[in-house]
Amino acid sequence: MKKIVLDDMMLTKALPTTAGSRMLEGYMSLFDAEVVERLTAAGYEMAGKAQVGEFAIDLVGETAYTGTLTENGKLTAASAKALENDTVKGVISLDVNGAPRRIAAQNGLVFVKPTYGTVSRYGTVPVACSGETVGVLARNIADCREVLSAMAGHDDKDGTMHADALCKKAADGCEKPVKKVAVIKMEADADITAELEAAKAEMVANGIEITEIEADVLSAAKTAWNILMCAELCNNVSRYDGIKFGYRTQNYTTIDELYTNSRTESFGALLKTAILFGSDVLSTKNYMAKYDKALRIRRVLAEAFGKLFADFDAVLMPACSKPAYTETDVKENPYIAFEENRYTAPASITGLPAVVAGGVQLVGPAFSEGALLDLAALLVKEGK
Amino acid sequence: MDQTTLQSLEKLNQLRLTDAEKEAVLAFFARQDKEMAVLDAIDTERVERMVHVMPILTVVREDVEKKLFTRDELQKGAPETMDGYWQVPRLVE
């Protein structure tokens, strides 16, 4: 039987779901996420869960309450480790702040973040609902495509879904092969630059026209996504109060102490900062200047991509700044995930599909996953 | 962002930071404030807000009562319950 691993943002009846947070330690869901039901019906076996960073907003999972995974001084991810087992076909990951894309880029794996609204988010732990997407991390393009195809499709239980035909088209179809690619100039280290150069050379060798462009407007995506993501997160995690489920402090006498101590003791530093920042941008004083501004910037970015895709079929850009992160990186800058997302935020905030393969990221117009996966197969020479 | 505002945000969000955490959070806020310049440089006065990246249609379902879970099932994950109720500290003295 084909095995699937789920990242710990997917609710499952059989296994605890923690979202990487002490707040949900031991939490058992009463139902399975829609993607779990679909994959099970398609004949996949749910082999287990992979640890994620707290509410999936960090770099590659380093903020999980169970501890940071490292190997030879470098941060590593449980989902990448799961794929070292050949019997595992793919890991289903919730892409909130780009972590699965960075994991794919840094581990020689493939990740597809489908068009927003083509894979059901019913039964995923909600964080930044307007942009987070359920995707597939796999060893190769074929596995990615197969698993995505099995889980994509309209679901009435998720109010943010496209019609079934569009969902299926995104997963299966490739009406317009990629012929023209825009390469976005972005700073990255020598190794990542070399991977981009290799991707460009492979495209040229396959007759794809590439054009290097400046896209300054995309630099706004990171700041705008940080605002929107934290605002939505702040609301979504307000439900965790130690009353109906989740962690409850032993140190309380009043209801206020129960709430405050439960949240303070169980939430990590990055999450607390994100909550406070989200709360601040939604305050009366900052709502228009920050939250409302970020919503308008989202449209500016969507329109900028729209113009870009009038001339090009896809965009090539890095997925991260370096081939691996270390514990020192996080120690020196605890908010590094909110900097590194400059590569992933453009697709997150606009809901566009992205495919990471061969260490680089491809972004395309809505419903172009099929074409992006075909292009990615060229880059990693799959099927040759 | 100053200490007083941060304190009120902590209270609002039922959180309590250590002094070291406060310092780090204030530095984060300062950095984000600085980065607002990138957004402010883009004129959005005539740009409409984009709350959803796709057209959202209200999902309409049949108005049929469904009992998905029992009370016992819903209270399974509760830290403390008593006689079928969620237990909290006394609210009224």
Side-chain angles (χ1 to χ4, degrees):
Chain A
M1 193 178 250
K2 299 173 286 188
K3 288 181 181 168
I4 289 288
V5 167
L6 304 160
D7 83 14
D8 207 7
M9 299 297 285
M10 312 289 151
L11 296 181
T12 43
K13 280 192 287 191
L15 293 165
T17 304
T18 72
S21 182
R22 185 177 301 282
M23 174 54 87
L24 286 173
E25 186 172 28
Y27 172 72
M28 295 300 293
S29 170
L30 295 175
F31 61 96
D32 283 327
E34 177 68 14
V35 287
V36 175
E37 295 208 343
R38 284 185 190 223
L39 290 170
T40 306
Y44 293 92
E45 179 196 345
M46 300 304 121
K49 289 234 172 146
Q51 166 182 304
V52 291
E54 194 171 27
F55 289 92
I57 59 169
D58 63 0
L59 273 182
V60 292
E62 71 283 359
T63 60
Y65 81 101
T66 41
T68 304
L69 299 178
T70 58
E71 212 168 68
N72 304 322
K74 291 170 182 168
L75 300 186
T76 183
S79 52
K81 298 301 285 177
L83 285 167
E84 286 178 5
N85 182 332
D86 286 345
T87 63
V88 175
K89 195 91 172 162
V91 179
I92 311 305
S93 298
L94 187 69
D95 188 329
V96 179
N97 195 26
R101 278 178 275 169
R102 290 186 284 273
I103 291 166
Q106 296 183 338
N107 291 278
L109 299 169
V110 180
F111 181 73
V112 57
K113 177 189 108 60
T115 305
Y116 182 85
T118 58
V119 175
S120 174
R121 289 182 298 110
Y122 179 77
T124 62
V125 177
V127 183
C129 302
S130 76
E132 67 201 14
T133 315
V134 179
V136 186
L137 184 73
R139 277 182 298 275
N140 56 55
I141 308 287
D143 288 352
C144 232
R145 202 190 297 267
E146 180 192 309
V147 178
L148 176 64
S149 181
M151 66 183 194
H154 181 82
D155 173 19
D156 266 350
K157 297 189 291 302
D158 177 349
T160 57
M161 292 219 69
H162 292 285
D164 204 48
L166 282 173
C167 299
K168 294 291 182 199
K169 177 190 156 197
D172 303 334
C174 175
E175 287 170 3
K176 193 182 165 200
V178 173
K179 288 184 176 158
K180 291 169 86 178
V181 172
V183 182
I184 310 272
K185 287 183 187 168
M186 292 182 94
E187 269 183 36
D189 85 352
D191 291 321
I192 299 293
T193 306
E195 284 177 321
L196 281 168
E197 290 303 320
K200 280 156 61 180
E202 199 57 42
M203 285 183 195
V204 172
N206 281 281
I208 294 164
E209 190 184 321
I210 59 166
T211 310
E212 300 228 3
I213 61 161
E214 304 272 357
D216 291 343
V217 70
L218 294 189
S219 64
K222 179 192 76 170
T223 309
W225 181 238
N226 285 342
I227 290 170
L228 298 182
M229 176 177 66
C230 291
E232 293 174 28
L233 173 145
C234 164
N235 284 331
N236 274 321
V237 303
S238 64
R239 78 192 70 199
Y240 304 112
D241 56 9
I243 303 291
K244 290 185 178 168
F245 58 91
Y247 176 87
R248 178 181 283 199
T249 180
Q250 295 302 304
N251 173 28
Y252 67 93
T253 47
T254 66
I255 188 80
D256 274 333
E257 281 177 5
L258 190 160
Y259 289 147
T260 304
N261 293 346
S262 295
R263 288 165 65 83
T264 299
E265 290 167 18
S266 65
F267 287 162
L270 184 68
L271 183 69
K272 284 176 190 162
T273 306
I275 293 169
L276 295 167
F277 182 62
S279 176
D280 186 54
V281 299
L282 289 171
S283 68
T284 312
K285 186 181 158 208
N286 291 321
Y287 184 88
M288 291 307 289
K290 293 183 179 174
Y291 182 71
D292 183 87
K293 181 79 183 182
L295 289 177
R296 290 170 202 265
I297 294 289
R298 169 182 268 164
R299 187 173 297 282
V300 170
L301 290 163
E303 287 174 356
F305 269 119
K307 278 183 194 155
L308 208 54
F309 293 137
D311 296 324
F312 300 97
D313 304 315
V315 159
L316 169 67
M317 59 199 290
C320 52
S321 69
K322 56 204 287 193
Y325 304 110
T326 63
E327 282 186 288
T328 312
D329 290 334
V330 182
K331 212 171 171 187
E332 284 175 356
N333 179 6
Y335 307 116
I336 185 173
F338 289 23
E339 303 289 335
E340 280 292 285
N341 63 0
R342 63 186 178 275
Y343 305 103
T344 54
S348 299
I349 197 169
T350 52
L352 293 173
V355 170
V356 173
V360 299
Q361 178 177 210
L362 302 163
V363 179
F367 313 115
S368 68
E369 291 87 318
L372 294 180
L373 286 166
D374 284 349
L375 177 58
L378 281 182
L379 299 186
V380 297
K381 298 187 174 73
E382 189 171 314
K384 281 196 175 177
Chain B
M1 175 60 56
D2 52 38
Q3 290 278 1
T4 314
T5 314
L6 181 57
Q7 215 170 339
S8 75
L9 285 176
E10 284 178 65
K11 196 172 175 208
L12 188 67
N13 290 286
Q14 308 278 7
L15 290 170
R16 198 175 42 253
L17 302 182
T18 63
D19 286 346
E21 282 175 334
K22 276 181 191 165
E23 204 179 307
V25 169
L26 288 171
F28 175 78
F29 271 75
R31 181 151 197 154
Q32 296 303 313
D33 269 350
K34 218 169 160 187
E35 289 183 0
M36 276 308 293
V38 179
L39 304 197
D40 291 338
I42 301 170
D43 181 7
T44 53
E45 209 179 301
R46 291 200 176 86
V47 178
E48 265 186 63
R49 296 151 48 111
M50 192 178 198
V51 179
H52 300 290
V53 296
M54 57 178 284
I56 297 290
L57 300 171
T58 305
V59 178
V60 182
R61 301 189 189 95
E62 290 296 314
D63 191 13
V64 180
E65 185 192 7
K66 272 197 257 179
K67 278 211 167 156
L68 295 174
F69 307 113
T70 65
R71 177 155 72 175
D72 283 348
E73 284 171 329
L74 289 169
Q75 291 192 324
K76 242 181 196 171
E80 284 179 71
T81 57
M82 191 173 69
D83 302 333
Y85 293 95
W86 282 285
Q87 202 171 359
V88 296
R90 181 186 290 275
L91 294 173
V92 181
E93 291 301 325

